[in-house]
Amino acid sequence: TAQTSSGYQVIDTSVRASGNAAFHLSHPLPEDQILTLNRLLLAGSSSQLLFSSRLGYAGPAQAALAEISTDGGANWNEIWRQVGTGDEGETSFSDRQISLAAFAGREIVLRFRYAFFQGIYYSQTARGVGFYVDDIRLTDTDELLEEQVSTASAALSFAFQPSQMTDYSLRVRAHLSQRRLPWGPAKLVTAQAGEPLPPSLTI
């Protein structure tokens, strides 16, 4: 999902690290430009975010950021930052490697943000101006699919009946009157055929 200003193309074929195009974020208006990956991910103990980036003409009030959310996008944790130098900046792409080990076992959402802070900035959208990102990759990371939300009773337990033999990520949250609290941490379980295990699992 691209949350960007009008007036320029987010997919740019003129500047790229490889392939046919790269993502390009610029500041025609003094407001944040955001690219969010539409995938719910599960980080592992050796997960890494790999990407190539180039921060061209950018002022000290402009910064390229990579951010992770563990609550579905309500709050974001900065994991990488590069601030503009006030001149031409980078003229080629650099490879980045960011550890996601701190988020192991947690459901995460990833985004890139070209942030604007108060001050002087480059408002042009021409070639070589702003933040480029390409070749985005994740290692040791699972994608969570087919999300299902069910309402449990008011008791402190619930029954989970898997529909197929695979891996599942379970999370619970409290619902107080009209207020829903944030989801708790994920509990990973694997459904297997055979004799059932003791039917008790604490989250």
Side-chain angles (χ1 to χ4, degrees):
T1 298
Q3 298 171 263
T4 58
S5 303
S6 60
Y8 74 99
Q9 296 296 320
V10 175
I11 297 177
D12 192 320
T13 59
S14 66
V15 177
R16 57 194 184 275
S18 66
N20 297 320
F23 291 111
H24 178 209
L25 297 177
S26 193
H27 282 138
L29 296 174
E31 56 191 24
D32 288 358
Q33 310 289 298
I34 299 171
L35 290 174
T36 304
L37 181 64
N38 292 325
R39 298 289 186 271
L40 183 60
L41 306 170
L42 182 67
S45 59
S46 60
S47 290
Q48 291 186 326
L49 168 63
L50 309 173
F51 61 96
S52 298
S53 71
R54 170 182 168 180
L55 185 59
Y57 283 97
Q62 297 167 287
L65 308 173
E67 298 176 318
I68 293 288
S69 175
T70 58
D71 55 11
N75 298 282
W76 294 90
N77 303 284
E78 181 182 310
I79 58 172
W80 174 81
R81 169 188 289 241
Q82 184 178 358
V83 179
T85 57
D87 55 19
E88 184 181 15
E90 296 176 311
T91 57
S92 61
F93 282 83
S94 296
D95 294 331
R96 316 295 182 185
Q97 181 174 311
I98 313 298
S99 173
L100 302 181
F103 304 97
R106 306 184 73 178
E107 297 176 4
I108 60 174
V109 179
L110 166 69
R111 78 177 184 181
F112 292 93
R113 178 164 66 103
Y114 190 34
F116 172 77
F117 308 99
Q118 294 299 319
I120 299 173
Y121 71 102
Y122 285 86
S123 62
Q124 297 88 346
T125 60
R127 175 188 175 103
V129 180
F131 174 42
Y132 294 87
V133 61
D134 200 359
D135 296 339
I136 303 165
R137 314 179 295 288
L138 290 149
T139 64
D140 185 34
T141 305
D142 292 321
E143 180 181 356
L144 299 175
L145 303 171
E146 300 179 16
E147 181 181 30
Q148 298 181 4
V149 179
S150 302
T151 301
S153 68
L156 297 179
S157 63
F158 64 92
F160 172 61
Q161 298 178 329
S163 58
Q164 54 184 315
M165 291 181 290
T166 186
D167 297 328
Y168 293 88
S169 174
L170 303 180
R171 292 195 300 166
V172 297
R173 69 177 179 182
H175 184 188
L176 305 175
S177 184
Q178 299 301 313
R179 182 185 177 199
R180 288 180 172 84
L181 275 63
W183 291 103
K187 179 69 176 182
L188 305 181
V189 298
T190 300
Q192 296 178 335
E195 292 297 321
L197 296 173
S200 177
L201 179 67
T202 300
I203 299 183

